[in-house]
Amino acid sequence: MRWDLITAIVAALVVSVLADESGQMAPYRIHTLFSVECQNYFDWQTVGLMHSFLKSGQPGPITRLLSCTDDQKKTYRGMNLAPTFEVPSWSRHPKTGDWYPAINKPVGVLYWLQHSEEAKHVDWVVILDADMIIRGPIIPWELGAERGRPFAAHYGYLVGCNNLLVRLHTKHPELCDKVGGLLAMHIDDLRVLAPLWLSKTEDVRQDTAHWTTNLTGDIYGKGWISEMYGYSFGAAEAGLKHKINDDLMIYPGYVPREGVEPVLMHYGLPFSIGNWSFTKLDHHEDNIVYDCNRLFPEPPYPREVKIMEPDPSKRRGLILSLECMNTLNEGLILRHAENGCPKPKWTKYLSFLKSKTFMELTRPKLLAPGSVHILPDQHEPPPIDEFKGTYPKIHTLFSTECTTYFDWQTVGFMHSFRQSGQPGNITRLLSCTDEALKNYKGHDLAPTHYVPSMSRHPLTGDWYPAINKPAAVVHWLHHTNIDAEYVVILDADMILRGPITPWEFKAARGRPVSTPYDYLIGCDNDLARLHTRNPEACDKVGGVIIMHIEDLRKFAMYWLLKTQEVRADKEHYGKELTGDIYESGWISEMYGYSFGAAELNLRHSINKEIMIYPGYVPEPGADYRVFHYGLEFKVGNWSFDKANWRNTDLINKCWAKFPDPPSPSAVHQTDNDLRQRDLLSIECGQKLNEALFLHHKRRNCPEPGSESTEKISVSRKVGNIETKQTQGSDETKESSGSSESEGRFSTLKLWVIALWLISGVGFLVVMLLVFSTRRGRGTTRGKGYRNKRRTSYSNTGFLDTK
């Protein structure tokens, strides 16, 4: 049968359906759309949908939006399966190269709106999926749809409408509806929505950091339902609030609500009846449309179902499943006839499909007036903007130990902190043993809170310095009066490039902000299930943390306890569970953080544009606030690895610094990504050396090139002059303990020299006076006097004339 003839017949039906009692046309024109690709998989679905469309009495025309590449069209056989509007295939994204065929749905709708003549003569649009069977007319205004208020079926698993995913991807999270499958809306709303549907699909698809099941509800965590979120987020951006229904569309295998007759079956999930089952994915490459007289395996008959299921409600659900499969097979029989296949041999099943019983079962289902149940608005009230008016106080924390390795990091960190414009106070959490503290020289490098060291665990004896971070935070919370509302927690091996504030990055109480640590794969496997009651709440985050102080008070002890727990769980140190390439449990503290937060259901807003590792290619346009130089990075032949400077005292040796990075003019000039990468690496290296230079200048180091900067150190003791020459090197420990002591030594030396000069002059004056007196009295004094004077001087030790 030709499709232009079918379209004419359907149009005539529409006229009769929509004409009012006076015989005049009602001013509503409906058009049904569905999207497919050039594959056998979609061809048999098209046959089922088109057959049910004709049986259901659905008013208005229907259009298949067909996405095919040029190569696919050369061999495609199904052009006559439905009225078709060809649209470009974006299965392989034209810009990113991402393979994501589901994006063809919003692409097809937008293209149809922009290029189809039909779209100019439509009032209402019904959008369906190919894997559906229509049971009765779907008329938008009967469902309650209005301009600005589309009608849609409920998709409860789109949990991203309730968490940080929606806050990342739409300015109106309060309008995000968990809907899909069945959509009915005014054409004017669709024109506004369609471009947003596509752009938001692209945004979510590219946001790989937030594909996890706990954020999206996608059990595979592969971003496969990005198109569904693209619709919901796009509709929110367009200001469209849906009228949502959860019983007119049903999945075969589900039990329909009492008194409700579904008008649409969506066989996207496996379903079964007794020992018989059907899964659409089993027929992905099925040539069933073109194999004459071949059908899907016949399901049980209705009378068999009545015997096997005594419960009326469940039996009604099974009968719907039968109807779905039988309608698919009936459509195939008619399609095979149109293909010119020979008449099939008689079978009991074919006889049933042609029977009056089956005809009655599949008669179009009409909605009773007032029967459409609209769900109440399930949105939580929009979060209050905590940052209107006066901004809250912030306190920045970072954790170190009593070693020169952390001291040079502290110097770099503090220098960048002062330049960054970071508001609020800062505290270094300094973990030291009593013995280390006695010899420690870096007390004045930063405002400091002293913490007992747990590098060697007091109970287990385990050597694990990383535990000092959560232990120090707990200690600080319990021993300090804190007036800040938000705490920013960073690592010592970081350079700040700009402020990190809760108001800019949308932190809130109960919603901390952090940066992605994607290698924490334990959040997705048995490790999380072993160590937290809420594995679905485990976020792969770390590095930068912005948290409300009340959240931190509740959370800090969990952080410490979970760190100890994971560290003690040596049986699960394996790389396949933790992502730790060394399999040594060294990242237990990071898991302690994620698992502790999961225990409290603290869900993070994950922002990948706060922090970057030098050596990584930056995201275009990203304004990174933090360098985290925890990994080696290179520019040409120059490289920097913080681990190579673990035993070098760069703080107490005057003018010590790192090898200078190359000039910015030496970086890549042709590849912009590599150029930006290298410029950031150079900036980090330069900032560290700049910090060291200013540190040495503050401690009054002599100007470079002066005698005091030669590789000779001189120590002096009162009453004894002792010279000691030592060869200077990066590993040589300076005899001066600090900048103040070296300055005092230089000043003392000058005073001693001056005192010697004054004493010498005074002594000469006294001696001249004495000798002049002797010459005046020499004739009156005898030998006895001379002997007495000699004896007196000899005893004093000043002059020996023997």
Side-chain angles (χ1 to χ4, degrees), residues 177-193:
D177 290 325
K178 294 183 279 188
V179 294
L182 167 58
L183 304 170
M185 71 182 68
H186 197 276
I187 188 71
D188 293 343
D189 294 335
L190 186 60
R191 292 189 189 281
V192 175
L193 166 64

Side-chain angles (χ1 to χ4, degrees), residues 253-269:
Y254 283 35
V255 176
R257 184 172 296 168
E258 185 67 31
V260 173
E261 195 65 76
V263 295
L264 194 65
M265 288 188 284
H266 189 182
Y267 55 90
L269 302 175

Side-chain angles (χ1 to χ4, degrees), residues 8 106 124 143 241 245 385 399 465 487 571 688 691:
W124 295 90
L143 298 174
K241 202 80 179 75
N245 174 274
D385 185 352
S399 175
V487 177
E571 292 183 3
L688 284 170

Side-chain angles (χ1 to χ4, degrees), residues 499-519:
I500 304 170
T501 63
W503 51 88
E504 180 175 0
F505 295 105
K506 303 295 188 292
R509 187 168 181 176
R511 192 178 73 238
V513 173
S514 191
T515 50
Y517 270 7
D518 292 333
Y519 56 85

